[in-house]
Amino acid sequence: RNIFKVKKSNAEKSKRMEKEERFFRETFMYDKEINVINTATAECSVPSYRRVDLPLTAGEQLEVIDVTEGSAVICRNSEGRYGYVLVEHLNFR
């Protein structure tokens, strides 16, 4: 019985990630293929004031998707949510 619960939660997570990707593509007008170009760790916790900004928790692993003009990059967190993150909040080691 537990096997089915795991599959259900994976299906729910997959569905949520698809929804986040759809929101990301519409909001950021992103029509390129989503490729991870680097990984980074958040150095500090930062709240999100806009829906397009990604809230950070210190020590959180992020996947860098794209570099923008200025000091922000587009990242994806482990929950599949996308958003802008300032480079100064990231550690690329």
Side-chain angles (χ1 to χ4, degrees):
R1 291 182 186 183
N2 291 339
I3 295 171
F4 296 115
K5 288 183 181 180
V6 171
K7 287 184 180 179
K8 184 177 179 184
S9 69
N10 286 343
E12 290 173 1
K13 185 175 181 180
S14 176
K15 189 174 182 179
R16 184 177 64 234
M17 290 181 98
E18 286 176 15
K19 182 180 176 184
E20 287 291 340
E21 183 179 334
R22 190 170 36 252
F23 175 82
F24 164 70
R25 288 189 179 281
E26 291 171 1
T27 305
F28 290 76
M29 292 179 270
Y30 198 85
D31 57 354
K32 298 185 268 182
E33 184 178 342
I34 296 175
N35 290 322
V36 177
I37 58 174
N38 205 343
T39 57
T41 305
E43 289 187 333
C44 57
S45 296
V46 179
S48 162
Y49 297 108
R50 305 177 301 166
R51 178 63 173 105
V52 295
D53 294 331
L54 189 62
L56 300 178
T57 305
E60 179 179 21
Q61 293 289 323
L62 301 171
E63 297 175 331
V64 179
I65 304 298
D66 205 351
V67 179
T68 63
E69 293 181 21
S71 62
V73 291
I74 298 173
C75 293
R76 175 174 60 199
N77 65 12
S78 61
E79 297 172 357
R81 187 168 174 194
Y82 296 84
Y84 289 116
V85 177
L86 292 177
V87 174
E88 63 197 43
H89 298 306
L90 299 176
N91 184 351
F92 289 95
R93 283 189 217 161

